[in-house]
Amino acid sequence: MFSTDTLTGSKPEQYAQLLAQARALVYGEADRIANAANLSALIYHALPQLNWAGFYFYDGKELVVGPFQGLPACVRIPLSKGVCGAAASSRQTLRIEDVDAFPGHIACDSASRSELVVPLVHNGQLIGVLDIDSPVIARFDADDQLGLEAIAQVFVEALQ
């Protein structure tokens, strides 16, 4: 069921395939570390033009790096800094076409040029963010946002 084969069809069809794989990966598993590790790997290997895919978890004060795929990352991110902090603070998905133009951007990997961050909220409480980076400017569009928000929701629902 899980492979590195290229997803087929339109972008929404590809995300539907990825979503089905995400659901299968977390089925019956409530451990957030296990699920974050598997979903990071799934996203990183399934989507083209990524250089980082992973999770940051909120510890009550700041975001702390969790499971990811890519180069080593910033360990702690204040809610007042960067795209991840802004998405966590606002609880709104942020899709940034050019991270160099984002005020307060944190360059954990200097190759990152665009970013999509989805806040993770469980029972009204912030638990973290799903962070996806690309070395390509304007890599992410509305289809990517909807697809990754759906995968983030699968992660959150598995915690229940």
Side-chain angles (χ1 to χ4, degrees):
M1 171 160 212
F2 307 103
S3 69
T4 57
D5 293 342
T6 303
L7 299 171
T8 60
S10 67
K11 194 180 272 192
E13 290 168 336
Q14 291 175 16
Y15 273 106
Q17 294 167 45
L18 199 56
L19 184 61
Q21 290 183 11
R23 285 188 178 122
L25 274 174
V26 304
Y27 180 77
E29 181 56 64
D31 186 89
R32 75 178 186 170
I33 301 299
N35 288 338
N38 273 333
L39 291 175
S40 297
L42 178 69
I43 292 165
Y44 186 81
H45 291 286
L47 299 179
Q49 300 176 316
L50 300 185
N51 62 317
W52 205 88
F55 291 78
Y56 278 89
F57 294 120
Y58 183 58
D59 71 356
K61 294 188 322 183
E62 59 194 350
L63 297 170
V64 181
V65 71
F68 68 90
Q69 298 280 309
L71 292 177
C74 300
V75 175
R76 296 180 180 276
I77 299 176
L79 295 189
S80 61
K81 300 228 184 250
V83 180
C84 288
S89 294
S90 68
R91 296 187 183 188
Q92 298 291 316
T93 298
L94 292 180
R95 188 174 76 230
I96 307 302
E97 290 188 358
D98 183 355
V99 295
D100 291 335
F102 188 85
H105 173 253
I106 301 169
C108 296
D109 180 349
S110 62
S112 293
R113 297 306 312 271
S114 60
E115 188 169 6
L116 192 146
V117 180
V118 181
L120 306 168
V121 179
H122 183 250
N123 294 331
Q125 300 295 313
L126 176 69
I127 59 167
V129 297
L130 169 60
D131 181 21
I132 312 296
D133 294 359
S134 173
V136 177
I137 289 180
R139 157 64 181 87
F140 305 107
D141 62 17
D143 289 331
D144 294 301
Q145 181 173 336
L146 289 173
L148 290 164
E149 286 173 339
I151 291 168
Q153 188 59 37
V154 164
F155 174 82
V156 169
E157 290 171 359
L159 298 174
Q160 300 179 13

